[in-house]
Structure formats: C-alpha cells, structure tokens
Amino acid sequence: MLYPEGTVRALLQTDLVTEATRTALQARLEATVHYQPQFLDTDAYRLLRTVAARLLPQPERPAPLELAPAIDARLAEGRSDGWRYDVLPPDREAYRMGLGGINQAAQAQFQQDFLALDAAHQDAVLEQLAAGKAAGENWEQVNQGRFFEELLAELTENYYAHPLAQEEIGYVGMADVPGWTRIGLNELEPREPEQQP
C-alpha cells in the first residue's frame, strides 16, 4: 500500500467530514456479500457480480469490494447515474438486455452460460463484448460497445467511491469541511496522507 492504512476510516470519525458524507461512506464500508438484489433476478445479479469480478479483479483483498449492490440498488430506485448514451435504452432496460446478451454471447461462443465458464473463457466473452463483436440477438437491439463502456464506467465509479479504495490512492477529498488552502504543487493539508516509499 502506498498510503497509510486506515486514513479514510479515521477521518470519517472526525468533524472534518459532514454527517451526510459520513453516512454515505459508512454505508459503503458496511456493504456485504449478503446483499439481496432488489431489481435484478438472482441469476442476473450473480452474473453482474461475476462480470464485476472479471473486469475489476481484486486479488490482493481477502474479500473483494462489492460493486454490484450499488448498481442493483440504483436500478431498483429508478435513479439515473447522471448520463447515458443516446443509442442505449434507459438504464433498467439496458442492464437487463446487456446482462442477457452476455449470456447469449457465452452460449454462442462456448455453448454454456457465462456463469458456467472458467475465468479465461469469461474473459474471452467480455473481450468480444468490448470489441463490439459478441454474438446474440440482444445485441441487435443494444449497442454492445456502448453498454460495455457504461458497465465498466459504473463499476469503476463504484470501486473508487468506496472508502477502502480511496485509502489506497490517498484520496481524502471527503474531508472538506474546513476547505482547502494548500493548493500549490506538492502542498498537503495536515489531514492529507503522505505517500510512503
């Protein structure tokens, strides 16, 4: 680790963080693998978790950060993530069709569902999707390259929104109550961690 462990978690307990920010980040810390999907059915949710694990592997962690719950919860609440490509349907439909399309691509390429494939074959399916070359009837209705971008962007956003990921990169932007006065090159506020050699 390049930054001291526990930096963000310690800051969350101080008055340098607003109550609203503390509540949001604490909820992310407490998200568990026991989340029950609210929007996706059980199989689609398992597929989303597996895709997340292939696109953002976390071999250094004893337990990976859970990235799928935030997507499922957002879809259940009918919230937008703030943008979408105009060639994609609304998010709920895009995710249903996109996840179904990943299974169709796995069947076309390896004659098995995505979840039944080993990691190397799952990666091969996702590589086809990223290249816009995955087979499957859903991809006749959904732009697969744009869906892949949307999926990857949201998973990445969820990863770096997690306090433990923020600790890894030394990000303490959530501790903004006193404002930022040291904004010059290589200047640090006292609450900012220093990178370790």
Side-chain angles (χ1 to χ4, degrees):
M1 180 176 282
L2 297 174
Y3 291 91
E5 188 174 346
T7 305
V8 170
R9 286 170 283 178
L11 279 173
L12 288 179
Q13 307 311 314
T14 70
D15 58 3
L16 299 172
V17 180
T18 66
E19 189 57 37
T21 300
R22 182 179 4 267
T23 299
L25 293 179
Q26 197 64 43
R28 293 173 193 160
L29 275 172
E30 294 166 1
T32 70
V33 295
H34 304 296
Y35 172 84
Q36 295 298 313
Q38 307 297 309
F39 175 74
L40 298 170
D41 65 37
T42 302
D43 289 341
Y45 182 72
R46 285 182 55 223
L47 193 149
L48 177 60
R49 285 188 72 215
T50 303
V51 167
R54 298 311 313 151
L55 294 178
L56 290 165
Q58 304 170 54
E60 73 286 358
R61 294 184 189 282
L65 304 181
E66 286 294 325
L67 306 177
I71 294 175
D72 181 74
R74 180 180 71 76
L75 295 174
E77 294 167 9
R79 289 184 291 115
S80 166
D81 61 354
W83 65 283
R84 73 175 170 92
Y85 291 108
D86 62 356
V87 296
L88 289 178
D91 289 351
R92 286 178 165 181
E93 186 178 352
Y95 269 95
R96 276 192 178 127
M97 295 194 68
L99 293 173
I102 290 172
N103 248 345
Q104 291 170 359
Q107 283 287 347
Q109 200 168 352
F110 299 110
Q111 296 75 54
Q112 290 184 327
D113 283 345
F114 187 82
L115 291 173
L117 300 174
D118 62 26
H121 287 105
Q122 289 175 341
D123 289 350
V125 171
L126 294 174
E127 287 169 8
Q128 289 286 309
L129 177 62
K133 298 178 179 175
E137 65 183 63
N138 283 16
W139 302 126
E140 295 171 10
Q141 301 174 54
V142 175
N143 182 305
Q144 57 185 278
R146 293 298 191 205
F147 174 75
F148 181 81
E149 287 181 41
E150 168 75 22
L151 175 62
L152 182 59
E154 188 160 10
L155 290 171
T156 304
E157 179 181 308
N158 290 344
Y159 182 83
Y160 283 107
H162 196 285
L164 296 181
Q166 293 172 354
E167 281 185 4
E168 291 173 354
I169 60 174
Y171 177 76
V172 294
M174 81 298 290
D176 61 354
V177 170
W180 304 90
T181 58
R182 298 182 181 183
I183 57 175
L185 186 62
N186 296 325
E187 292 181 347
L188 294 176
E189 300 286 345
R191 61 188 179 278
E192 291 184 275
E194 290 191 39
Q195 193 170 13
Q196 298 175 335

